[in-house]
Coordinates of all heavy atoms in Angstrom, one line a residue:
M21 N -49.8 38.8 29.5 CA -49.6 39.7 28.4 C -50.9 40.3 28.0 O -51.9 39.6 27.9 CB -49.0 38.9 27.2 CG -48.4 39.8 26.2 SD -47.5 39.0 24.8 CE -47.3 37.3 25.2
N22 N -51.0 41.7 27.9 CA -52.3 42.3 27.5 C -52.5 42.2 26.0 O -51.6 41.8 25.2 CB -52.4 43.7 28.0 CG -51.6 44.7 27.2 OD1 -51.4 44.6 26.0 ND2 -51.2 45.8 27.9
G23 N -53.7 42.6 25.5 CA -54.1 42.5 24.1 C -53.2 43.2 23.2 O -52.9 42.7 22.1
I24 N -52.8 44.4 23.6 CA -51.9 45.2 22.7 C -50.6 44.5 22.5 O -50.1 44.4 21.4 CB -51.7 46.7 23.2 CG1 -53.0 47.4 23.2 CG2 -50.7 47.4 22.4 CD1 -53.0 48.8 24.0
T25 N -50.0 44.1 23.6 CA -48.7 43.4 23.5 C -48.8 42.1 22.7 O -47.9 41.9 21.9 CB -48.2 43.1 25.0 OG1 -48.2 44.2 25.8 CG2 -46.8 42.5 24.9
E26 N -49.9 41.4 22.8 CA -50.1 40.2 22.0 C -50.1 40.5 20.5 O -49.5 39.9 19.7 CB -51.4 39.5 22.5 CG -51.3 38.8 23.8 CD -52.5 38.1 24.2 OE1 -53.3 37.6 23.3 OE2 -52.8 38.0 25.4
E27 N -50.9 41.6 20.2 CA -51.0 41.9 18.8 C -49.7 42.4 18.2 O -49.3 42.0 17.1 CB -52.0 43.1 18.6 CG -53.4 42.6 18.7 CD -54.4 43.8 18.4 OE1 -54.3 44.3 17.3 OE2 -55.2 44.2 19.3
V28 N -48.9 43.2 19.0 CA -47.6 43.7 18.5 C -46.7 42.5 18.4 O -45.9 42.4 17.4 CB -47.1 44.7 19.5 CG1 -45.6 45.1 19.1 CG2 -48.0 46.0 19.4
T29 N -46.7 41.6 19.4 CA -45.8 40.4 19.3 C -46.1 39.5 18.1 O -45.2 39.0 17.5 CB -45.9 39.6 20.6 OG1 -45.6 40.5 21.7 CG2 -45.0 38.4 20.7
E30 N -47.4 39.3 17.8 CA -47.8 38.6 16.6 C -47.3 39.2 15.4 O -46.8 38.5 14.5 CB -49.3 38.4 16.6 CG -49.8 37.5 17.6 CD -51.4 37.4 17.7 OE1 -52.0 38.0 16.8 OE2 -51.9 36.8 18.6
F31 N -47.4 40.5 15.3 CA -46.9 41.3 14.1 C -45.4 41.1 14.0 O -44.9 40.8 12.9 CB -47.3 42.8 14.2 CG -46.6 43.6 13.2 CD1 -47.0 43.6 11.9 CD2 -45.4 44.3 13.5 CE1 -46.3 44.4 10.9 CE2 -44.7 45.1 12.5 CZ -45.2 45.1 11.2
L32 N -44.7 41.3 15.1 CA -43.2 41.2 15.0 C -42.8 39.8 14.6 O -41.9 39.6 13.8 CB -42.7 41.5 16.4 CG -42.8 43.0 16.8 CD1 -42.5 43.2 18.3 CD2 -41.9 43.9 15.9
T33 N -43.4 38.8 15.2 CA -43.1 37.4 14.9 C -43.3 37.1 13.4 O -42.4 36.5 12.8 CB -43.9 36.4 15.8 OG1 -43.5 36.6 17.2 CG2 -43.7 35.0 15.4
A34 N -44.4 37.6 12.9 CA -44.7 37.3 11.4 C -43.7 38.1 10.6 O -43.1 37.6 9.6 CB -46.1 37.7 11.1
A35 N -43.5 39.4 10.9 CA -42.6 40.3 10.1 C -41.2 39.9 10.1 O -40.5 40.0 9.1 CB -42.8 41.7 10.5
L36 N -40.7 39.4 11.3 CA -39.3 39.1 11.4 C -39.1 37.6 11.2 O -37.9 37.1 11.2 CB -38.8 39.4 12.8 CG -38.9 40.9 13.1 CD1 -38.5 41.2 14.6 CD2 -37.9 41.7 12.3
R37 N -40.2 36.8 11.0 CA -40.1 35.4 10.6 C -39.3 34.6 11.7 O -38.6 33.7 11.3 CB -39.5 35.2 9.3 CG -40.3 35.8 8.2 CD -39.7 35.5 6.8 NE -40.5 36.3 5.8 CZ -39.9 37.1 4.9 NH1 -38.6 37.2 4.9 NH2 -40.6 37.7 4.1
R38 N -39.6 34.9 12.9 CA -39.0 34.2 14.1 C -39.8 34.6 15.3 O -40.2 35.7 15.4 CB -37.5 34.3 14.2 CG -37.1 35.7 14.6 CD -35.7 35.7 15.1 NE -35.6 35.2 16.4 CZ -34.5 35.1 17.1 NH1 -33.4 35.4 16.6 NH2 -34.5 34.6 18.3
P39 N -39.9 33.7 16.3 CA -40.6 34.0 17.5 C -39.9 35.2 18.2 O -38.7 35.3 18.3 CB -40.5 32.8 18.4 CG -40.2 31.7 17.4 CD -39.4 32.3 16.3
V40 N -40.7 36.2 18.7 CA -40.3 37.3 19.4 C -41.1 37.4 20.7 O -42.3 37.4 20.6 CB -40.4 38.6 18.5 CG1 -40.1 39.8 19.3 CG2 -39.6 38.5 17.3
G41 N -40.4 37.6 21.8 CA -41.1 37.7 23.1 C -41.3 39.2 23.3 O -40.8 40.1 22.7
P42 N -42.2 39.5 24.3 CA -42.6 40.9 24.6 C -41.4 41.8 25.0 O -41.5 43.0 24.8 CB -43.6 40.7 25.7 CG -43.5 39.3 26.2 CD -42.8 38.5 25.2
D43 N -40.4 41.2 25.5 CA -39.2 42.0 26.0 C -38.0 41.8 25.2 O -36.9 42.3 25.5 CB -38.9 41.8 27.5 CG -40.1 42.2 28.3 OD1 -40.6 43.3 28.1 OD2 -40.6 41.4 29.2
D44 N -38.1 41.1 24.0 CA -36.9 41.0 23.1 C -36.7 42.3 22.4 O -37.6 42.8 21.7 CB -37.2 39.9 22.1 CG -37.3 38.5 22.7 OD1 -36.8 38.3 23.9 OD2 -37.7 37.5 22.0
D45 N -35.4 42.7 22.4 CA -35.0 43.9 21.7 C -34.5 43.5 20.3 O -33.3 43.1 20.2 CB -33.9 44.7 22.5 CG -33.5 46.0 21.8 OD1 -33.7 46.1 20.6 OD2 -33.0 46.8 22.5
Y46 N -35.4 43.5 19.3 CA -35.1 42.9 18.0 C -34.1 43.8 17.3 O -33.4 43.3 16.4 CB -36.4 42.8 17.2 CG -37.5 43.7 17.6 CD1 -37.5 45.0 17.0 CD2 -38.4 43.3 18.5 CE1 -38.5 45.9 17.4 CE2 -39.4 44.2 18.9 CZ -39.4 45.5 18.4 OH -40.4 46.4 18.8
F47 N -33.9 45.1 17.7 CA -32.9 45.9 17.1 C -31.5 45.5 17.6 O -30.6 45.3 16.8 CB -33.2 47.4 17.3 CG -34.3 47.9 16.5 CD1 -35.6 48.1 17.1 CD2 -34.2 48.3 15.2 CE1 -36.7 48.5 16.4 CE2 -35.3 48.7 14.5 CZ -36.5 48.9 15.1
A48 N -31.4 45.3 18.9 CA -30.1 44.9 19.5 C -29.7 43.5 19.0 O -28.5 43.2 18.9 CB -30.2 44.9 21.0
L49 N -30.7 42.7 18.8 CA -30.5 41.3 18.3 C -30.1 41.2 16.8 O -29.8 40.2 16.3 CB -31.7 40.4 18.5 CG -32.0 40.1 20.0 CD1 -33.4 39.5 20.1 CD2 -30.9 39.3 20.6
G50 N -30.2 42.4 16.1 CA -29.8 42.4 14.7 C -30.9 41.9 13.8 O -30.6 41.6 12.6
L51 N -32.1 41.8 14.3 CA -33.2 41.3 13.5 C -34.0 42.4 12.7 O -34.7 42.1 11.8 CB -34.2 40.6 14.4 CG -33.7 39.4 15.2 CD1 -34.8 38.9 16.2 CD2 -33.2 38.3 14.3
A52 N -33.7 43.6 13.1 CA -34.5 44.8 12.5 C -33.5 45.9 12.2 O -32.5 46.0 12.8 CB -35.5 45.2 13.5
D53 N -33.9 46.7 11.2 CA -33.1 47.8 10.7 C -34.0 49.0 10.6 O -35.2 49.0 11.0 CB -32.4 47.5 9.4 CG -33.3 47.1 8.3 OD1 -34.5 47.4 8.4 OD2 -32.8 46.5 7.3
S54 N -33.4 50.1 10.0 CA -34.2 51.3 9.9 C -35.4 51.2 9.0 O -36.5 51.8 9.2 CB -33.3 52.5 9.5 OG -32.7 52.2 8.2
L55 N -35.3 50.4 8.0 CA -36.5 50.2 7.1 C -37.6 49.4 7.9 O -38.8 49.7 7.7 CB -36.1 49.4 5.9 CG -35.2 50.1 4.8 CD1 -34.8 49.2 3.7 CD2 -36.0 51.3 4.3
F56 N -37.2 48.5 8.7 CA -38.2 47.8 9.5 C -38.8 48.7 10.5 O -40.0 48.6 10.8 CB -37.6 46.6 10.2 CG -38.6 45.9 11.0 CD1 -39.6 45.1 10.4 CD2 -38.7 46.0 12.4 CE1 -40.6 44.4 11.2 CE2 -39.6 45.4 13.2 CZ -40.6 44.6 12.6
A57 N -38.1 49.7 11.0 CA -38.6 50.7 12.0 C -39.8 51.4 11.3 O -40.8 51.7 11.9 CB -37.5 51.6 12.4
L58 N -39.6 51.8 10.0 CA -40.7 52.5 9.3 C -41.9 51.6 9.2 O -43.0 52.1 9.3 CB -40.2 53.0 8.0 CG -39.1 54.1 8.0 CD1 -38.6 54.3 6.5 CD2 -39.7 55.3 8.5
E59 N -41.7 50.4 8.9 CA -42.8 49.4 8.8 C -43.5 49.3 10.1 O -44.7 49.2 10.2 CB -42.3 48.1 8.3 CG -43.3 47.0 8.1 CD -42.8 45.7 7.6 OE1 -41.6 45.7 7.1 OE2 -43.5 44.7 7.6
L60 N -42.7 49.3 11.2 CA -43.3 49.1 12.5 C -44.1 50.4 12.9 O -45.2 50.2 13.4 CB -42.1 48.9 13.5 CG -42.5 48.6 15.0 CD1 -43.5 47.5 15.1 CD2 -41.2 48.4 15.7
V61 N -43.6 51.5 12.6 CA -44.4 52.8 12.9 C -45.7 52.8 12.1 O -46.7 53.1 12.6 CB -43.5 54.0 12.5 CG1 -44.4 55.3 12.5 CG2 -42.4 54.2 13.5
T62 N -45.6 52.4 10.8 CA -46.8 52.3 10.0 C -47.8 51.3 10.6 O -49.0 51.6 10.7 CB -46.5 51.9 8.6 OG1 -45.6 52.9 8.0 CG2 -47.7 51.8 7.7
F63 N -47.4 50.2 11.0 CA -48.3 49.2 11.7 C -48.9 49.8 12.9 O -50.2 49.7 13.0 CB -47.5 47.9 12.1 CG -48.2 47.1 13.1 CD1 -49.3 46.3 12.7 CD2 -47.9 47.1 14.4 CE1 -50.0 45.5 13.6 CE2 -48.6 46.3 15.3 CZ -49.6 45.5 14.9
V64 N -48.2 50.4 13.7 CA -48.7 51.0 15.0 C -49.8 52.1 14.6 O -50.9 52.1 15.2 CB -47.6 51.6 15.9 CG1 -48.2 52.5 17.0 CG2 -46.7 50.5 16.4
E65 N -49.5 53.0 13.7 CA -50.4 54.0 13.3 C -51.7 53.4 12.7 O -52.8 53.9 13.1 CB -49.8 54.9 12.2 CG -48.7 55.8 12.7 CD -48.2 56.7 11.6 OE1 -48.0 56.3 10.4 OE2 -47.9 57.9 11.9
E66 N -51.6 52.5 11.8 CA -52.8 51.9 11.2 C -53.6 51.0 12.2 O -54.8 51.1 12.2 CB -52.4 51.1 10.0 CG -51.9 51.9 8.9 CD -51.4 51.1 7.7 OE1 -51.4 49.9 7.7 OE2 -51.0 51.8 6.6
R67 N -52.9 50.2 13.0 CA -53.6 49.3 13.9 C -54.3 50.0 15.0 O -55.4 49.7 15.5 CB -52.7 48.3 14.4 CG -53.2 47.3 15.5 CD -54.5 46.7 15.0 NE -55.2 46.0 16.0 CZ -56.2 46.6 16.8 NH1 -56.6 47.8 16.5 NH2 -56.8 45.9 17.7
F68 N -53.6 51.1 15.6 CA -54.2 51.7 16.8 C -54.7 53.1 16.5 O -55.1 53.8 17.4 CB -53.1 51.8 17.9 CG -52.6 50.4 18.2 CD1 -51.4 49.9 17.8 CD2 -53.4 49.5 19.0 CE1 -51.0 48.6 18.1 CE2 -53.0 48.2 19.2 CZ -51.8 47.8 18.8
S69 N -54.9 53.5 15.2 CA -55.6 54.7 14.8 C -55.1 56.0 15.4 O -55.9 56.7 15.9 CB -57.1 54.5 15.0 OG -57.6 53.3 14.4
F70 N -53.8 56.2 15.3 CA -53.3 57.5 15.6 C -52.1 57.8 14.8 O -51.5 56.9 14.2 CB -53.0 57.7 17.1 CG -52.0 56.8 17.7 CD1 -50.6 57.1 17.6 CD2 -52.3 55.6 18.3 CE1 -49.6 56.3 18.1 CE2 -51.3 54.8 18.8 CZ -50.0 55.1 18.7
T71 N -51.6 59.0 14.8 CA -50.4 59.4 14.0 C -49.2 59.5 14.9 O -49.3 60.1 16.0 CB -50.7 60.8 13.4 OG1 -51.8 60.7 12.5 CG2 -49.4 61.2 12.6
V72 N -48.2 58.8 14.5 CA -46.9 58.9 15.3 C -46.2 60.2 14.7 O -45.9 60.3 13.6 CB -46.0 57.7 15.0 CG1 -44.7 57.9 15.7 CG2 -46.7 56.4 15.5
E73 N -46.1 61.2 15.6 CA -45.5 62.5 15.3 C -44.0 62.4 15.2 O -43.4 61.5 15.8 CB -46.0 63.6 16.3 CG -47.5 63.7 16.5 CD -48.2 64.2 15.2 OE1 -47.6 64.8 14.4 OE2 -49.4 64.0 15.1
V74 N -43.4 63.4 14.6 CA -41.9 63.4 14.5 C -41.3 63.3 15.9 O -40.3 62.6 16.1 CB -41.4 64.6 13.7 CG1 -39.9 64.8 13.8 CG2 -41.9 64.6 12.3
E75 N -41.9 64.1 16.8 CA -41.3 64.1 18.2 C -41.5 62.7 18.9 O -40.9 62.5 19.9 CB -41.9 65.2 19.0 CG -43.4 65.2 19.2 CD -44.1 66.0 18.1 OE1 -43.5 66.4 17.1 OE2 -45.3 66.3 18.3
D76 N -42.3 61.9 18.4 CA -42.5 60.5 18.9 C -41.5 59.5 18.4 O -41.5 58.4 18.9 CB -43.9 60.0 18.6 CG -45.1 60.8 19.2 OD1 -44.9 61.3 20.3 OD2 -46.1 60.9 18.5
L77 N -40.7 59.9 17.4 CA -39.8 58.9 16.8 C -38.6 58.7 17.6 O -37.5 59.0 17.2 CB -39.5 59.4 15.4 CG -40.7 59.4 14.4 CD1 -40.3 59.9 13.1 CD2 -41.3 58.0 14.3
D78 N -38.7 58.1 18.8 CA -37.6 57.7 19.6 C -37.5 56.2 19.6 O -38.5 55.5 19.9 CB -37.9 58.2 21.1 CG -36.9 57.8 22.1 OD1 -35.9 57.2 21.7 OD2 -37.0 58.1 23.2
L79 N -36.4 55.7 19.1 CA -36.2 54.3 18.9 C -36.5 53.5 20.2 O -37.0 52.4 20.1 CB -34.8 54.0 18.4 CG -34.5 52.5 18.0 CD1 -35.5 52.0 16.9 CD2 -33.1 52.3 17.5
D80 N -36.2 54.1 21.3 CA -36.4 53.4 22.6 C -37.9 53.0 22.8 O -38.2 52.0 23.4 CB -35.9 54.2 23.8 CG -34.4 54.1 23.9 OD1 -33.8 53.2 23.3 OD2 -33.8 55.0 24.5
S81 N -38.8 53.8 22.2 CA -40.2 53.5 22.3 C -40.7 52.3 21.4 O -41.8 51.8 21.6 CB -41.1 54.7 21.9 OG -40.9 55.7 22.8
F82 N -39.8 51.9 20.5 CA -40.2 50.8 19.6 C -39.2 49.6 19.6 O -39.3 48.7 18.8 CB -40.1 51.4 18.1 CG -41.2 52.4 17.9 CD1 -40.9 53.8 18.2 CD2 -42.4 52.1 17.4 CE1 -41.9 54.7 18.0 CE2 -43.4 53.0 17.2 CZ -43.2 54.4 17.5
R83 N -38.4 49.5 20.6 CA -37.4 48.4 20.7 C -38.0 47.1 21.1 O -37.4 46.0 20.8 CB -36.3 48.8 21.8 CG -35.3 49.8 21.3 CD -34.1 49.9 22.2 NE -33.1 50.7 21.6 CZ -32.3 50.3 20.7 NH1 -32.3 49.0 20.3 NH2 -31.4 51.1 20.2
T84 N -39.1 47.1 21.9 CA -39.7 45.8 22.3 C -41.2 46.0 22.2 O -41.8 47.1 22.2 CB -39.3 45.5 23.8 OG1 -40.0 46.4 24.7 CG2 -37.8 45.5 24.0
A85 N -41.9 44.8 22.2 CA -43.4 44.9 22.2 C -43.9 45.5 23.5 O -44.9 46.3 23.4 CB -43.9 43.5 22.1
T86 N -43.3 45.3 24.6 CA -43.7 46.0 25.8 C -43.6 47.5 25.7 O -44.5 48.2 26.1 CB -42.9 45.4 27.0 OG1 -43.1 44.0 27.1 CG2 -43.3 46.1 28.3
R87 N -42.5 48.0 25.2 CA -42.3 49.4 25.0 C -43.3 50.0 24.0 O -43.8 51.1 24.2 CB -40.9 49.7 24.6 CG -39.9 49.5 25.8 CD -38.5 50.0 25.4 NE -37.6 49.7 26.4 CZ -36.3 50.1 26.3 NH1 -35.8 50.7 25.3 NH2 -35.5 49.8 27.3
I88 N -43.6 49.3 23.0 CA -44.6 49.7 22.0 C -46.0 49.8 22.7 O -46.7 50.8 22.5 CB -44.7 48.8 20.8 CG1 -43.4 48.9 20.0 CG2 -45.9 49.2 19.9 CD1 -43.2 47.9 18.9
T89 N -46.3 48.8 23.5 CA -47.5 48.8 24.3 C -47.6 50.1 25.2 O -48.6 50.8 25.2 CB -47.7 47.6 25.2 OG1 -47.7 46.4 24.3 CG2 -49.0 47.6 26.0
E90 N -46.6 50.4 25.9 CA -46.5 51.6 26.8 C -46.7 52.8 25.9 O -47.4 53.7 26.3 CB -45.2 51.6 27.5 CG -45.1 50.5 28.5 CD -43.7 50.3 29.1 OE1 -42.7 51.0 28.6 OE2 -43.5 49.5 30.0
F91 N -46.1 52.9 24.8 CA -46.2 54.0 23.9 C -47.6 54.2 23.4 O -48.2 55.3 23.4 CB -45.2 53.9 22.7 CG -45.4 54.9 21.6 CD1 -44.9 56.2 21.8 CD2 -46.0 54.6 20.4 CE1 -45.1 57.2 20.8 CE2 -46.1 55.5 19.4 CZ -45.7 56.8 19.6
V92 N -48.3 53.1 22.9 CA -49.6 53.2 22.5 C -50.6 53.6 23.6 O -51.4 54.5 23.4 CB -50.1 51.8 21.9 CG1 -51.6 51.7 21.7 CG2 -49.4 51.4 20.7
L93 N -50.4 53.1 24.8 CA -51.2 53.5 25.9 C -51.0 55.0 26.2 O -52.0 55.7 26.5 CB -50.9 52.7 27.2 CG -51.3 51.2 27.1 CD1 -50.8 50.4 28.3 CD2 -52.8 51.1 26.9
R94 N -49.8 55.5 26.2 CA -49.6 56.9 26.4 C -50.3 57.8 25.3 O -50.9 58.8 25.6 CB -48.1 57.3 26.3 CG -47.3 57.0 27.6 CD -46.0 57.7 27.7 NE -45.1 57.5 26.5 CZ -44.3 56.4 26.2 NH1 -44.2 55.5 27.1 NH2 -43.6 56.3 25.1
K95 N -50.1 57.4 24.0 CA -50.7 58.2 22.9 C -52.2 58.1 22.9 O -52.8 59.1 22.5 CB -50.1 57.6 21.6 CG -48.7 57.9 21.3 CD -48.4 59.4 21.2 CE -48.9 59.9 19.8 NZ -48.6 61.4 19.6
T96 N -52.8 57.0 23.3 CA -54.2 56.9 23.3 C -54.9 57.4 24.6 O -56.1 57.5 24.7 CB -54.7 55.5 23.0 OG1 -54.2 54.6 24.0 CG2 -54.2 55.0 21.6
G97 N -54.1 57.6 25.6 CA -54.6 58.0 26.9 C -55.1 56.9 27.7 O -55.6 57.1 28.8
A98 N -55.0 55.7 27.2 CA -55.6 54.5 27.9 C -54.8 54.1 29.2 O -55.3 53.4 30.0 CB -55.6 53.3 27.0
G99 N -53.6 54.7 29.3 CA -52.7 54.3 30.4 C -52.8 55.3 31.6 O -52.2 55.1 32.6
R100 N -53.7 56.3 31.4 CA -53.8 57.3 32.5 C -54.9 57.0 33.5 O -55.9 56.5 33.1 CB -54.2 58.7 31.9 CG -53.1 59.3 31.1 CD -53.4 60.7 30.7 NE -52.9 60.9 29.3 CZ -53.4 61.6 28.4 NH1 -54.5 62.3 28.7 NH2 -52.9 61.7 27.3
P101 N -54.6 57.2 34.7 CA -55.7 56.9 35.7 C -56.8 57.9 35.6 O -56.6 59.0 35.1 CB -55.0 57.1 37.1 CG -53.7 57.9 36.8 CD -53.4 57.6 35.3
A102 N -58.0 57.5 35.9 CA -59.1 58.4 35.8 C -59.0 59.6 36.8 O -58.5 59.4 37.9 CB -60.4 57.7 36.1
E103 N -59.3 60.8 36.4 CA -59.2 62.0 37.2 C -60.5 62.0 38.1 O -61.5 61.6 37.7 CB -59.2 63.2 36.4 CG -57.9 63.4 35.6 CD -57.9 64.7 34.8 OE1 -58.6 65.7 35.3 OE2 -57.3 64.7 33.7
T104 N -60.2 62.6 39.3 CA -61.4 62.8 40.2 C -61.7 64.3 40.1 O -60.8 65.1 40.1 CB -61.1 62.4 41.6 OG1 -59.9 63.1 42.1 CG2 -60.8 60.9 41.8
H105 N -63.0 64.6 40.0 CA -63.4 65.9 39.8 C -63.8 66.7 41.1 O -64.1 67.9 41.0 CB -64.6 65.9 38.8 CG -64.3 65.4 37.5 ND1 -63.6 66.2 36.6 CD2 -64.5 64.3 36.9 CE1 -63.4 65.5 35.5 NE2 -63.9 64.3 35.6
D106 N -63.8 66.0 42.2 CA -64.1 66.7 43.4 C -62.9 67.0 44.3 O -63.1 67.2 45.5 CB -65.2 65.9 44.2 CG -64.8 64.5 44.5 OD1 -63.7 64.1 44.0 OD2 -65.6 63.8 45.1
Q107 N -61.8 67.1 43.8 CA -60.6 67.5 44.5 C -60.7 69.0 44.9 O -61.0 69.8 44.1 CB -59.3 67.2 43.8 CG -59.0 65.7 43.6 CD -57.8 65.5 42.8 OE1 -57.4 66.3 41.9 NE2 -57.1 64.4 43.1
G108 N -60.3 69.3 46.1 CA -60.2 70.7 46.5 C -61.6 71.3 46.8 O -61.8 72.5 47.0
A109 N -62.6 70.5 46.9 CA -64.0 71.0 47.1 C -64.3 71.0 48.6 O -63.8 70.3 49.4 CB -65.0 70.1 46.4

């Protein structure tokens, strides 16, 4: 488990007051509701220092700690491979 997933899992475990694994869908399990979704978005924005835009508000991106990690990596650019600058030369 990477650092982002660990942090998100720790937050979820504390907020939901029960152990949550990286691939547990806490919405499908009935552990979370729309109010919790807002709390989760706020946590992600504050912890990872970016704004979740309206077009980012897809519940599928927030269903599991693993999906949140993927979302954070996409938003921060940390998940993109480095570009090579000498292509086509």
Side-chain angles (χ1 to χ4, degrees):
M21 196 175 351
N22 77 29
I24 295 171
T25 307
E26 286 180 30
E27 286 186 59
V28 172
T29 302
E30 288 173 10
F31 169 79
L32 292 167
T33 295
L36 297 172
R37 297 185 186 126
R38 66 166 282 177
V40 175
D43 295 312
D44 291 345
D45 184 338
Y46 29 84
F47 289 99
L49 293 170
L51 302 174
D53 57 18
S54 58
L55 289 176
F56 180 75
L58 292 173
E59 184 179 343
L60 185 53
V61 167
T62 300
F63 164 77
V64 168
E65 288 182 321
E66 290 176 357
R67 173 56 193 92
F68 300 105
S69 303
F70 66 84
T71 300
V72 176
E73 304 294 339
V74 172
E75 59 269 15
D76 296 326
L77 294 176
D78 179 0
L79 184 59
D80 284 340
S81 295
F82 293 89
R83 284 190 172 280
T84 70
T86 299
R87 288 184 183 184
I88 293 170
T89 299
E90 292 165 357
F91 173 73
V92 168
L93 292 174
R94 277 194 315 272
K95 288 294 286 185
T96 61
R100 290 187 218 149
E103 291 184 27
T104 57
H105 295 285
D106 53 357
Q107 290 178 329

